[in-house]
Amino acid sequence: MNIGFSEVLLNIKARISVDILDKDIPRIRRRILTWGRANHKHFPWRKTTKLWHGLIAEILLQRTRAATAVSIYEQFISNFPEPKDLASASVKEIEKLIYPLGLRWRAPLLKQLGEELDRLGGEPPPSFEQLLKLPGVGPYAAAAWLSFHGGGRGVIIDANVVRWICRLIDRKCDAETRRKKWLIQLADRLTPQRSSGEFNYAVLDFTMEICATRPKCSVCPVGAELCAYGKRVLLKEL
Ligand code: SF4
């Protein structure tokens, strides 16, 4: 099959636009980690000693601003200190509690999760695949819990992370981008093999504060040198 010159050019551009050079990956990580250590945000679920409360937090945090989730989370763990307490609550009671987060429909799943965790002895299982089998636990909550609470490695991909990665390579993103293979591969390459929890906390805080909806490129630790969007902003300003 003959491919025209313009198609070849398009293919090359597509390949370039989804790439970050191997040598730049550790530099980006280091800058994010350094920023994260100096700007770590304190939320109650980040210091919980109850592993299953960490999983509840990750479920409540999906599509919710962390600040909005604080009071609901605190009420949740006070009402349900153990999985058996959640298992024996009524769906209505759980619904009422999580209503402000717009997650009412998750109430039956949370009750089932309480039942399942109670059956498992009170703690979430330590593998990604096993976590995904729990009611109400999707890939984000499983990866986040593993890296923050479970002592394992997890690659987290939420809307803010997608936006950040797309800006690093200056590529438009939409609601489907999070499922694209190239995006998942890039997120995986950026996430270190060890201490992924510390890196992920830094990324969450960084994408909330610096590479936010309106990016603060002028004060960004990643900067124009390592970010294609940042480079474009800088060139416009010159
Ligand atoms: S330079 Fe701008 S777009 Fe790039 S990571 Fe930093 S804040 Fe985000």
Side-chain angles (χ1 to χ4, degrees):
M1 186 176 66
N2 283 332
I3 301 176
F5 177 72
S6 57
E7 277 174 81
V8 172
L9 203 61
L10 274 176
N11 280 341
I12 291 171
K13 274 187 178 168
R15 245 183 293 142
I16 289 170
S17 66
V18 296
D19 209 10
I20 297 177
L21 296 176
D22 278 344
K23 71 176 175 59
D24 289 339
I25 297 275
R27 299 170 74 203
I28 295 171
R29 271 190 209 146
R30 263 199 307 276
R31 291 180 189 195
I32 291 290
L33 275 167
T34 305
W35 184 92
R37 282 176 195 138
N39 296 278
H40 183 77
K41 293 191 191 304
H42 297 278
F43 293 111
W45 49 83
R46 290 192 176 183
K47 51 178 195 281
T48 182
T49 50
K50 287 204 172 173
L51 296 179
W52 87 279
H53 284 168
L55 186 59
I56 291 295
E58 300 312 332
I59 293 171
L60 297 182
L61 282 165
Q62 287 173 75
R63 300 191 175 90
T64 309
R65 280 161 45 89
T68 316
V70 171
S71 64
I72 310 289
Y73 169 79
E74 284 180 330
Q75 220 178 316
F76 199 103
I77 62 168
S78 142
N79 288 12
F80 312 121
E82 301 299 335
K84 65 176 165 45
D85 303 312
L86 182 58
S88 58
S90 71
V91 171
K92 275 257 168 301
E93 185 188 347
I94 305 169
E95 245 180 38
K96 202 170 151 203
L97 189 56
I98 60 177
Y99 178 78
L101 298 178
L103 296 173
R104 235 174 72 185
W105 59 275
R106 287 227 166 114
L109 289 171
L110 285 168
K111 182 176 167 65
Q112 288 166 29
L113 177 64
E115 290 163 357
E116 188 59 16
L117 290 178
D118 187 39
R119 200 182 62 75
L120 292 172
E123 287 195 358
S127 89
F128 187 72
E129 289 70 25
Q130 287 172 307
L131 284 161
L132 284 183
K133 288 184 186 152
L134 294 174
V137 178
Y140 176 84
W145 184 83
L146 258 188
S147 71
F148 297 141
H149 308 278
R153 179 176 184 264
V155 178
I156 54 163
I157 300 176
D158 68 0
N160 286 3
V161 172
V162 170
R163 187 183 58 223
W164 172 52
I165 291 179
C166 286
R167 283 176 180 159
L168 283 176
I169 55 176
D170 202 7
R171 189 181 167 124
K172 281 200 167 58
C173 61
D174 58 30
E176 283 307 303
T177 307
R178 66 167 67 215
R179 284 179 255 282
K180 302 282 185 207
K181 198 172 162 197
W182 60 264
L183 187 283
I184 296 167
Q185 283 173 343
L186 268 183
D188 187 40
R189 283 174 65 212
L190 284 162
T191 307
Q193 292 298 321
R194 286 193 195 164
S195 308
S196 66
E198 187 187 8
F199 176 78
N200 287 341
Y201 274 145
V203 169
L204 290 185
D205 294 345
F206 169 77
T207 55
M208 225 186 302
E209 196 174 317
I210 303 292
C211 200
T213 313
R214 298 178 71 163
K216 299 174 184 162
C217 300
S218 59
V219 294
C220 176
V222 177
E225 189 195 350
L226 294 170
C227 172
Y229 180 96
K231 194 177 295 169
R232 190 150 58 82
V233 170
L234 185 74
L235 288 174
K236 246 193 240 167
E237 284 169 359
L238 290 178

